[in-house]
Structure formats: structure tokens, C-alpha cells
Amino acid sequence: ISIAGVYGLSLLLSTDEFHNSLLACEAGNVDADTTATLLPIPKSIQTGEEVTYSVQARDQFGSKINVCREASVVTLQGVSTDTGGSLLFNGTSAYANGTVICSRGVYSGSFMATVTGQYTASIQVAGMHIYASPFSVEVKAGRAASHQCYAFGNQLIIAGTPSDERAEAGKEATFTIQSRDFYCNRVLYDPFAPLMRFNVTLQLIFTTCDTTTGLPLQSDAVCQLANVVGNLDSTFSVSYTPTYAGRFEVVTTLVDENNNFQLISNSPFTTIVYPSTPATERMIMFEVPSNVTASDSTTTFSVMSRDRFDNRVTLGGTVFDAYLVRRSTEPGVVSPVAFRANVNDKATGIYEVSFSITAAGNYKVEVMSTGTRIFNSPQQIIVNPGGINYAASEAIGNGVEGGIVDRQATFQIIARDIYGNQLTSGGAFFRVLVFTPTDILRADGQSNVAIQPVITDALDGTYGVSYGSAEIGAHVLSVAGVNVLGTTLVTNGFNDQNKWLADNGVSEAGRCVAYGAGTVGGWVGQESTFTVQMRMVNGINRFEGGRQVTATMQSALEDPPVTVDVAVTDNGDGTYTAKYTPRRATSYILTVRLGDTEILGSPFSVDMRPMDTSALDSTVETANLLGVVGESVTFTIQAKDSFGNLQVYDEVKGPDDFRATLVERDTGSSLEASLQNNEDGTYILSYQATISGSYDMRVRLGATEVPSGYYQELLVLTGSVVTDKCSASGVSLTTIAGATQQLLVDARDIYGNRVPEGVEVFNVTLSTTSGVVPMGQPQHCGGEACLTSTAACPCPEGLSLGRYGLAFSLTTVGSYSLSVTRDGFDIPGYPQTLNVEASFAATYKTTVSGCEGQCSAQMMRCTGETFACSGCTCPLLATTRAGVATTFDLQTRDSYGNPVSVGRKAFRVTAKKRNPPGKSECLRSEGCEPAFLEAVVNDRLDGTYQCSWTLSSLGDYDISITRSDEHIEGSPFSLTVEPGLASSTIDGSNFALDPVATAGMPRTFMVYARDLFGNRLTQGGETFVASLTGTGLLDGTFVPGTVEDYSDGSYFCYFQTVQAGKLNLEVQLNGEVISPGTV
């Protein structure tokens, strides 16, 4: 009996039972080949995960052993761990008191590991490895543990350690998060595991933000949520582009599956964001006074340097131009009056601007750098006059010189400060005395004057004076200021030749004057005026019109000259008003005549300036429409007014508000061009694109588009290819054998633009433990093939300039290092680790473990039930012994022969005995044994299958191993069932002889070795012992026999005795008596 259990034993003679009993057969000793785990040992576990197992002890025939009498040991030995060491973890197979964990022959235990890597799990019972032990176990990292994850980066300040690099506003900053599990193992990316997520929030130091959303919790808080991207390894890349300069706290948390935010080990840490480069258009001036008093003393204000995000730049070095500008106070003078200020660089990002100014007026404060205004420039400053200074005040007007009797003479008193600035308010006290010739001759003339001038305060710093006289002759005029200190004559305040005459009715051209802005200049398009005053020969104003006054005006520089019409109107009071409106901005000659004679000062030089700049009339020109990334393309803007006059720079108005925007046609990205004021009415417009493509440019003046500034399809070409900027995509880092990988390599310039020329050479290699394998060179996706057919193009999307494609596939599982190089240097992100896993199971590639490569190719694809193929002879399966349990393993493989690590495939293993020669079948009635047997197939769920059976009938068999009627590699196999082990059972080894012998004569007989099933063995080597023992009168007699091995399964035996009587003959096989027993 080979299977343990309780049997019913019945003995029958013919059909009559004469004995019936129960027979208990216990299992034998533990056998390593049959003792196995009840459930498969997992091939992959997590750190800290306790794996429990149960082992059913069995004997050599596979019978369960129901007692616990052996020791059990489990160990986990590191083969290749992430620490680099060979670690050993002892599992648990006994209680604390040393008692083996076992119940009814089932041994239990557990093991775990805390370091990731590849291990072998060894389970031993009775000092022997159980079936399939040691097991291959991969230990992977567990879930990420926040207190073990950490961040690192060159721009971070961690634990007080200064950063290696500066973070700058407007520039992308990055750092890396290393994910680790509870035991500090790196947690690798697993597409089938729950997604790991990190959250990073930057908050300005000493302020508070919601670190889950990045929203501020205080009014002065500055918060920013960073972008976190998994790298498909064990790290996460964090990137953010700060715009606010300052010291930030970086709060980094691991977000678990319940949306709980837990700080990682070294969070929070800090980073300092420094300002970007100074941006003129964002700089500001501050503490600018709105009113100052004309003085020699210094007035100051400050300029703060800022970057484009309005962060204060704390370093100096920027060159500023600062000045105060106003219009001239002289009528008709259009050229501005400017005073340059001093700029002192404090080397802290603050610049002190100082000036002292003695000329009163309304000024614009301009601060510029490289021709560009700062953010809040210009600003208004009013320089007020100082206190009144009577000596600097003056009396002006024709009335100071005299007048015509019986007519009123007038003049003005201008109140001024010490610097000559006209006061802007009234309230001063002036005394005007006029002495007639009679007053001068009278003794009391100075105290009892005949003329009482009328003084009118205009409240603007001017005082009108009018008086008249009936006497002809020289008068004395005295104009003085009055204060507590006495009187002070004003400038031109004393004239003892103040002449009064009778009007003779004659206007003298040489004494007539013209005054007003129109005699000096103005702006085209605006009406300019001036006044002509008739005067007598002594220079006294006349008060009657009726004279012929004419004016002509023509350009001084053009040929032929431009003529401007001048209209002259007689006011009837001795004055004439002239008006003209020029359209051409240039210098003119203005001639004014009384009759045919030019008046005093004629001809006049008149300078006419352009009016405001017109967007519709200004022009934009360039000599080059083609650009290259990183290089400047320039245009010239010629500002013009609506009459087409070339504009001139007006410091009071400041530069024109020209702006230029470029938009790339494909991406829609925009670019603002820079503008340089040449201060001559022209501007240099320039742009430096970093994105190649076709741009449309529009130039605007304020909100109005400049028609000549609209350019379409301005091409910006890519630069030269830079290896460090090239990129590759399309390759899956985990793939299956035979899957086509489409590697796409983009040749890029320093700014990341794809370079379309298609002349680059990239080399692709795969590195394995056995060496480096060249995969070839990706081909440009811009060739003729991509123009005519997408199918023939190296890139799936078809024509793609600057992109190179290479398709490849790997048929052998393993880990590869994929490199993409240019000029011997790796492109960014490479080399990368490429893992190739087995494809789907292919029946015709599935093998019997140990029989790989044993059969020729023509034997590998046999199908059907006819066994048309000759059998494959594999040493592992070639022979077996009858009655001996036989096991072998199947290894499923993909179509490339790679082992598949998943099960659940239905395999069938059958043995069909070959028919005797010349027969199509063999019937039991003819003495044949059953010709067909099916093995038990156990799916281990790891891609392997254990097949087991026990064959009892000798002969040659065809072993078919199929799945869905398709044979595996080498099937059908040839198998010969040979006799089993020699047996002493009733159907086993035997002998026969006549129970009568003659004393003194040798007696011989044959012993035949047979197995359990009565099959005769064909080889020798067994140990048979024959002996005679006496009974009765011969009791105590012992006669040994002689056994000779014929080496063919038969044994020749003989004995000889001289004593007659009854003796018992006994033949033993390995100590067991064989049939027929005692004779």
C-alpha cells in the first residue's frame, strides 16, 4: 500500500470470505519532493508585510503525515538588495518557547523583510528543503511614509545649510522629493498601485497660507502652489516660478488616500527668492515734492529699482537720467527748458536724485534709463517764486517812455523775487510818481503833483499802471516798492525823460513794433498770432488805425520756398492783429511792413514745430524681416504728425507711446518688443524671440494701430542644435516582449525649438549585463517618405520637421539601459531604464522544465489526436519506473520563449501507450493494459504548472501536453515505463521449486525480481538471501543458500544438505520474505 489511510481487508476463497478486518496504514517519513506549501508563496511582497504559509508534510508517496515530529525553519536570504548587502531575515516557525508551530502535520510560519530587493525564501522541514524551496521573492517598498520622505535641491535652505543656487523671480525653480516607505526604502512608481501625491505650498515667511489650496489666510500673505510631477521612478519633481521676492517657507506634504496632508521629514524648509534683473518700466520714484520754492538749496527725492514683478532690486548699477523740464515762459518759444538733476547710486537699489532750481515754473520731472521712462515718470513739480524783491521787480511798457497828451499811457509793474521770477500773487505795495514840467518848476511840485497814476493789482504778480497828462514836455516818472524799510526803485523805475507830445498823425515804420508768440514760433495746425503797434518817431504808441500793414511768410530752407498766408486785421486803436496757420514744420521768414517799409525787427525768424504724433501717418521700416532665435531684429519708427511732418523730440511731452506686439501664428504666444527713443523723432523698435515660427507684428501708438507697422509672417528661424536641449519621447519604460517601441527624438536649439533641417545624427544603444547593443540611428521625419505616406514615415504622426523616429522591439525579458546620444553625449533624461516583461503565453513555446532545446525544430508544432509527429526524447521524461510517482514542471512562455509569470492556463497531459507492431489497437482481451492515462496538473499561478502521475503498465508511451488541442514545444514526448523497484509483496518478486530434495545432492531454483505490479525487472542489483532452517528432528539446523545475480532480473539459487528431514526454505528481499514463503 503506497497511500496512507484505513483500508478494509477481505480474504476470500473462491467467493467465500473467511477474513474481514480494518487495516490502518500510516504515512512514512517526510519526503522533500512531496512536502509542499498549501498555497503558493507570493512572488512579490511589500516591506513589512508578514507572509504566512502552511506546509503539509507528506511521505515519498505523497500521503499526508498527520503528526508533528520534525523541526521547521524559514529564512529569507537577500540576493540583490537595494542596500547592496546580502541580508538575511529569519522567519518565524516556532513559538517563543521553541515549540514548532504545527498542527496535524501542517507546519506554519511567517517571514518578512524591511529592505527592498530580490530574495530567496527557504522553507525546510526535517532539515530538508520542501518542494520548490528556495522560492524567489521580490520585496518591494511599501506605501510612502511621510516621516521618511524628504526633499533636496540646490535652491533650498534645509536645517540651516545655505543653498547652493539663488532662486530668482521669474525663473523656474525646482527641487526633488524622494519618496520612501516606513523602512526608508525608495518607493518606486507602480502604475497599478494607488497614486502617490505630494503637495507643495510656498508661503512668505511670518505669514500664513492654506497649505492644501495655496490660498492666503492673511491679508499680507503671499502664497504659491507648486507643480509636482512624478518621474516614474521613486522621485517627484517640484517646479514653481516665483514672482515675489523674499524669504519663503516651503511646506511639503504627502497626501494619503484619505486626503490627509502630512509633512515630510525635513519640511518645512526655506528658500530665498531674489529679485530678477532691473526692469526700467517697473521702477518708481517716490518722495517727490509737489511744490518747492525757487532757491539755491538742494531738493531731493528717490528712485527705487524694481524688477518686472515690482520686487525691489537691492543692488545698484543702473544708469539713470533725471531732469526737470518746462516750456519757456517767453511767448512763442517752443523749445523746452531743461535742468539736469544729479543721480547718486546708493548701491542698495535706491537712487537719490537731487536738484537746485532758481527758475520758477511748472515742471515735469523725468527719470529715464536707456531712453525708457520709469513706471511713474513724469511727475509734476511746481517751483514757486520766492518772496518779492523790489530791486529785481521792473516796470515795462510804452507808458514808461511817455505818452500823447490827452491820452492815457499805460505800463506794467512786474513783481519778481531775487532770481527774477515773476510772483504769482498780488499784495505788494508800489508807489508811482509822475511830475509834470510845471510840478518840477513849482516849489511844492513834489508834494502836490498834478497827476495821480492809477495802480491796479492783477493778483498774479503784475500791476497795471495808467496815467495821463495835458502838458507837453519831459516828465519825471518814479516807480518804487514800499515796505517797512523804506522805498526801493524797481528796475526801469526812474525816467526823467518821460516825454509827452501831441499826436502828429504820422506812424514811423522804423519805430513800429510787432510782439506776440507768432513772431517767434509755434506748432503747425494751430493758429499763431502777433500784434503790430503803431508808433510815432519818438517811439510813443499811437492810438489810431487806418494804416496799410501787411505781413508775408515763407519757409527759409525749402527750394522752392513754402508760402504761408498771413491775415492782418486793423483794430482801429493803433494796433493790428496778424494770424496764420502753417502746415509745414520748418523755419520761416516773417516779414511785416508798414506800407512798403519793414517795421522794427522785421524780418522775424519763426520756428514751427510738428503737432502731436499721428499713428496713421507715422512709418515703420526695416531692412531685415528674417530673424534667428536669440538675435535682435530691429525696425525704425519715424514719428510724424497728421501733416506728414517729421516729428522732433519734445522733452516736455516726453517720448511717444509707441508699442509693438508680436504673436506667433501656430502657438499664439505673444512677445512685446522693446523701444529705444533716439530723441530725434525716431525710435528703434527691436525684439529678440526665443520661440521660432512665423509672427505677425502690430505697432500701436497708444490705442491706435500704425498701418505701416503691421507686418505679417515675420520668420524667426531656429538656432543651432544643442545636445543638452534635445528631448526624446514615445518609449514606454515598461513594455512586453515583441511590442514595438516608437522612439521620437526632437533636435532642439538652446531655447527648446525644434530645428527642422534634418541633418542631425543620434545614436541609440541598449546596455545589458552582457554588453552594449547598437539599435541604430533615428531617421528624420521630414523626408520624402513622410511627404507621400504616413505609413512609411519614421514618425506615426507623419511629416514632423526636426523630429527623428526609430521603431524597435525587444524580445528578451530583462532590464535594459536605453541611451540616446549626440556627438557622444547623452541627451537630457537619458539613459533610462527600460523593463521588458514577458508577453502573452504561447502554447507552442511552452516547455517542460529541463527539456528546453532537446527537440529539433520540426518536432515542435504537432497538433491533433493522430500523433503524426515522432516523439521527442527528453532525458527528463524518457523513462520512469512503474508505480513510482513522477512529477515534472511546465513553464509557460511567450512567443519569444520568455518565461511568463502568470498562470490560469488550462493544460492537459496525457499518456497513450503505443500499439504493438502491426496493430492499430491493443485490446485488454488480448492481454493489453489500459492504453490511456491523464496526469494531474497543478497551477501554481506563477506561470509554472506541476504535473504528476503514476504509471504501472510497462511499455512505450507518447506523452502529449496540449492547451486547446495545441501541443507545447517538443510534444508529443517519448516515454518508456520500465519496471519499478523490486518488491516483496504478493505480486512482487517470487520463486518456485519442487518441495522435495535429496540429501547430499545440490538443489537449484530461480528467483525473479518483480515490482509491485508483477512486472519483471530487467536489471540486476537486488539483494536476495536464501536459507534453510530445520524443524522437528532437524530443529536448530541452518543451511545457507547461495544466490547468483544474472544481471537481467533473475537470480540463480542453490543449496545442499546431507541431512534428511523437514526444513523451511526462506528467500528474503532486503529483509522481507518473498513469495511463496516457506516451502
Side-chain angles (χ1 to χ4, degrees), residues 594-647:
L594 176 59
D596 296 329
T597 305
E598 294 185 35
I599 67 171
L600 181 65
S602 179
F604 301 92
S605 179
V606 178
D607 183 22
M608 300 305 297
R609 284 202 169 193
M611 62 188 302
D612 291 341
T613 301
S614 166
L616 301 179
D617 295 277
S618 297
T619 58
V620 182
E621 298 176 347
T622 184
N624 181 25
L625 296 176
L626 188 65
V628 177
V629 290
E631 298 180 3
S632 293
V633 178
T634 60
F635 292 76
T636 299
I637 300 177
Q638 175 61 69
K640 296 181 181 181
D641 66 10
S642 57
F643 297 111
N645 296 298
L646 302 181
Q647 192 60 271

Side-chain angles (χ1 to χ4, degrees), residues 840-1074:
F840 305 105
T843 303
Y844 72 94
K845 282 291 186 178
T846 298
T847 60
V848 175
S849 298
C851 293
E852 293 86 351
Q854 298 290 329
C855 298
S856 57
Q858 64 267 24
M859 296 181 182
M860 292 185 181
R861 297 300 298 272
C862 297
T863 59
E865 295 293 338
T866 61
F867 298 100
C869 298
S870 58
C872 166
T873 301
C874 170
L876 183 69
L877 293 178
T879 61
T880 186
R881 288 182 178 273
V884 176
T886 302
T887 62
F888 58 89
D889 288 347
L890 302 181
Q891 174 63 66
T892 52
R893 299 180 183 274
D894 64 13
S895 57
Y896 303 99
N898 300 299
V900 176
S901 59
V902 293
R904 303 190 184 282
K905 300 294 184 288
F907 287 96
R908 188 181 185 195
V909 181
T910 60
K912 185 176 187 297
K913 195 172 184 179
R914 291 177 184 166
N915 297 324
K919 291 189 176 182
S920 61
E921 60 180 347
C922 184
L923 303 177
R924 184 182 292 272
S925 61
E926 297 174 338
C928 290
E929 295 295 326
F932 188 86
L933 187 67
E934 188 163 353
V936 176
V937 180
N938 177 36
D939 184 356
R940 293 196 182 98
L941 302 178
D942 60 358
T944 65
Y945 299 79
Q946 183 189 56
C947 306
S948 59
W949 55 18
T950 301
L951 299 175
S952 60
S953 179
L954 303 185
D956 293 330
Y957 289 80
D958 286 321
I959 307 301
S960 297
I961 306 176
T962 59
R963 173 173 169 252
S964 300
D965 294 333
E966 182 181 7
H967 286 261
I968 71 167
E969 178 181 314
S971 175
F973 296 90
S974 293
L975 172 65
T976 299
V977 179
E978 299 176 343
L981 302 174
S983 172
S984 60
T985 61
I986 189 68
D987 291 326
S989 303
N990 63 358
F991 68 95
L993 84 164
D994 188 345
V996 178
T998 302
M1001 295 294 291
R1003 184 63 189 270
T1004 65
F1005 62 93
M1006 297 298 295
V1007 176
Y1008 298 97
R1010 297 180 184 275
D1011 64 15
L1012 181 68
F1013 305 100
N1015 299 306
R1016 181 174 167 179
L1017 275 62
T1018 57
Q1019 294 178 342
E1022 303 298 332
T1023 302
F1024 288 95
V1025 176
S1027 64
L1028 293 172
T1029 57
T1031 62
L1033 297 175
L1034 296 181
D1035 188 22
T1037 302
F1038 178 79
V1039 179
T1042 301
V1043 179
E1044 182 181 345
D1045 187 350
Y1046 279 9
S1047 300
D1048 62 355
S1050 65
Y1051 298 80
F1052 176 75
C1053 300
Y1054 72 94
F1055 59 86
Q1056 182 177 355
T1057 180
V1058 295
Q1059 294 176 318
K1062 187 173 183 180
L1063 299 98
N1064 288 329
L1065 170 64
E1066 191 174 74
V1067 180
Q1068 294 184 0
L1069 170 65
N1070 299 326
E1072 297 287 338
V1073 177
I1074 69 171

Side-chain angles (χ1 to χ4, degrees), residues 723-909:
T723 303
D724 285 344
K725 293 296 182 178
C726 295
S727 61
S729 60
V731 174
S732 174
L733 299 182
T734 300
T735 186
I736 60 174
T740 300
Q741 294 276 46
Q742 186 71 50
L743 176 66
L744 303 175
V745 183
D746 292 337
R748 299 184 182 275
D749 61 17
I750 188 66
Y751 299 103
N753 300 292
R754 279 217 310 243
V755 180
E757 280 72 17
V759 296
E760 299 306 314
V761 177
F762 296 94
N763 290 293
V764 181
T765 58
L766 280 174
S767 299
T768 64
T769 54
S770 58
V772 178
V773 180
M775 300 300 293
Q777 296 175 345
Q779 299 301 304
H780 187 227
C781 304
E784 186 68 26
C786 296
L787 289 172
T788 57
S789 170
T790 302
C793 185
C795 295
E797 69 269 26
L799 182 66
S800 186
L801 298 179
R803 173 165 285 181
Y804 299 73
L806 175 67
F808 66 92
S809 62
L810 300 173
T811 58
T812 304
V813 298
S815 182
Y816 299 83
S817 178
L818 177 65
S819 293
V820 182
T821 61
R822 176 179 176 270
D823 295 336
F825 295 95
D826 288 305
I827 69 172
Y830 284 81
Q832 287 191 357
T833 300
L834 180 62
N835 293 309
V836 179
E837 299 176 348
S839 182
F840 305 105
T843 303
Y844 72 94
K845 282 291 186 178
T846 298
T847 60
V848 175
S849 298
C851 293
E852 293 86 351
Q854 298 290 329
C855 298
S856 57
Q858 64 267 24
M859 296 181 182
M860 292 185 181
R861 297 300 298 272
C862 297
T863 59
E865 295 293 338
T866 61
F867 298 100
C869 298
S870 58
C872 166
T873 301
C874 170
L876 183 69
L877 293 178
T879 61
T880 186
R881 288 182 178 273
V884 176
T886 302
T887 62
F888 58 89
D889 288 347
L890 302 181
Q891 174 63 66
T892 52
R893 299 180 183 274
D894 64 13
S895 57
Y896 303 99
N898 300 299
V900 176
S901 59
V902 293
R904 303 190 184 282
K905 300 294 184 288
F907 287 96
R908 188 181 185 195
V909 181

Side-chain angles (χ1 to χ4, degrees), residues 412-446:
Q412 269 189 329
I413 301 173
I414 307 298
R416 301 185 185 278
D417 63 11
I418 193 173
Y419 303 107
N421 299 301
Q422 177 181 322
L423 272 60
T424 56
S425 59
F429 294 97
F430 291 95
R431 187 191 67 183
V432 179
L433 298 176
V434 179
F435 301 99
T436 65
T438 302
D439 293 332
I440 296 170
L441 295 176
R442 288 198 342 255
D444 62 347
Q446 294 188 20

